[in-house]
Amino acid sequence: MSSAAALIGALWRTSCRRRLHGAPRRSSDAPAQRKLVRSGEERKPVICIEGNIASGKTTCLEYFSRTSDIEVLTEPISKWRDVRGHNPLALMYQDPARWGITLQTYVQLTMLDRHLSAVAAPVRMMERSLYSAKYIFVENLYRSGKMPEVDFAVLSEWFEWITHNISIPVDLIVYLQTTPQTCYERLKQRCREEEKVIPMEYLEATHNLYEDWLIKQTAFPLPAPVLVIPADHDQQKMLQHYEENRERILAASGT
Ligand SMILES: Nc1ncnc2c1ncn2[C@@H]1O[C@H](COP(=O)(O)OP(=O)(O)O)[C@@H](O)[C@H]1O
Ligand SMILES: Nc1ccn([C@H]2C[C@H](O)[C@@H](COP(=O)(O)O)O2)c(=O)n1
């Protein structure tokens, strides 16, 4: 994969990350943790757009890609739908107990690749993160009884090894907060073949995990401060919200 080369020749270096006053402990804040970092490259701000399925993340990223000098990375969903001729996303929805680990292992790899790839613009905005893959989707499969404990244990070991040993910098999380009902409507409208089997209960479960992680901040460590943007509004209103929040987003990323 493209970023594997970035790790070859990477340096073991002390990773000192800024910490907000009063912010909850963040997963990447291990004291004086020596982590693998990309070498030979200036560190650029990274903003992750988080939100439930079909909440409007891609639409938000499209807007910023048109109007700013920002590099936008969408989720590598085309890879999840076609790895050497196989469709692990479709398989996972057909039989989560059998194929959940297959999809989530590949999601973890492709998201790590996204995080480690060279940044081509002054600011990077990316759709979701390695963190939400684990805290929302793996967690949901496990809690709903659709992922065997051994699969969850193996994925957790991988996740913990990666986050303890590799620097995955995130400077700001923008949470597009929707109701599950809104996502259900947008999901139907988008009409992605693999997702036709998704019931409302699935969106409620992922919504609750997002809320516990990013709003109540009780479930898992936060890798970065969170900016919440209410996202149930129509497209025009959402563009206004993005415009209103542009400065805060870019300021929070340190630019
Ligand atoms: N504010 C909005 N109001 C109505 N429909 C929207 C809005 N934002 C996005 N959509 C539509 O909802 C669907 C899902 O949006 P998308 O940006 O792909 O979500 P995500 O990337 O979070 O899965 C798409 O068909 C998109 O055109
Ligand atoms: N770790 C993940 C990440 C995403 N998915 C699924 C959920 C959706 O069906 C699709 C992409 O989501 P969207 O960007 O449209 O919100 O991939 C998953 O199962 N596990």
Side-chain angles (χ1 to χ4, degrees), residues 52-60 127 186 189-190 192 231 233-235 238:
N52 207 349
I53 301 169
S55 54
K57 300 178 298 299
T58 310
T59 311
C60 168
E127 186 176 9
R186 293 181 187 168
Q189 179 197 325
R190 177 169 68 191
R192 205 178 260 156
H233 310 288
D234 63 34
Q235 298 231 23
M238 287 314 300

Side-chain angles (χ1 to χ4, degrees), residues 53 57 75 92-93 104 127-128 137 190 192 195:
I53 301 169
K57 300 178 298 299
E75 275 179 326
M92 189 276 297
Y93 280 124
Q104 295 305 334
E127 186 176 9
R128 294 214 177 99
F137 290 94
R190 177 169 68 191
R192 205 178 260 156
E195 296 174 342

Side-chain angles (χ1 to χ4, degrees), residues 31-43:
Q33 172 80 41
R34 293 172 77 78
K35 293 188 179 189
L36 275 169
V37 296
R38 278 191 68 94
S39 59
E41 193 179 276
E42 186 198 338
R43 170 86 167 82

